[in-house]
Amino acid sequence: MTPLLPTPDHYIYNLITMTSPEAKRMWRRAIKEHFDCQCVYCGEHYELHELTLDHVVPRYFGGQTITRNLVPSCRKCNQEKGTSNWLSWMRATFGCNPNREQLILSHIK
Ligand SMILES: [Zn+2]
């Protein structure tokens, strides 16, 4: 399993890889594996390549591209969430789910 580090550059600093594209691939994979290849919003499991990474705080609102702001999401949830507030959108779409909400909260804090 790939270690979960804060940014792609950390894979290079830690000599886990020597190239930037590989660092980015490892980083993206590590985030998905960290969540057991599950979409954090709907809770379904997917193959690695089927999952996207969602900015919890959208880039549009200044959300950074760092581990703490990225979670695996299926394409459908990623698209539907768009620039909505993740918690309001999630509750409106799936109802209240304390386990999944806590999973996200502990990742982004
Ligand atoms: Zn989903």
Side-chain angles (χ1 to χ4, degrees), residues 47-84:
E47 298 293 321
L48 272 174
H49 71 273
E50 294 174 311
L51 283 167
T52 64
L53 290 177
D54 180 58
H55 287 75
V56 180
V57 176
R59 271 177 294 190
Y60 182 79
F61 294 116
Q64 288 182 282
T65 304
I66 54 172
T67 298
R68 265 191 309 115
N69 193 40
L70 288 173
V71 289
S73 165
C74 68
R75 288 177 205 287
K76 187 168 184 281
C77 288
N78 197 333
Q79 204 158 46
E80 287 179 14
K81 173 180 164 273
T83 55
S84 309

Side-chain angles (χ1 to χ4, degrees), residues 27-57:
W27 177 63
R28 295 177 62 86
R29 189 172 63 219
I31 295 171
K32 294 172 185 177
E33 286 175 353
H34 178 73
F35 287 91
D36 205 20
C37 290
Q38 192 178 29
C39 169
V40 293
Y41 300 121
C42 67
E44 295 292 323
H45 284 87
Y46 291 90
E47 298 293 321
L48 272 174
H49 71 273
E50 294 174 311
L51 283 167
T52 64
L53 290 177
D54 180 58
H55 287 75
V56 180
V57 176

Side-chain angles (χ1 to χ4, degrees), residues 10 14 20 23 27 30 45 68 71-72 76 86 89 106 109:
H10 283 77
N14 289 277
S20 173
W27 177 63
H45 284 87
R68 265 191 309 115
V71 289
K76 187 168 184 281
W86 70 272
W89 174 81
S106 56
K109 73 175 181 211

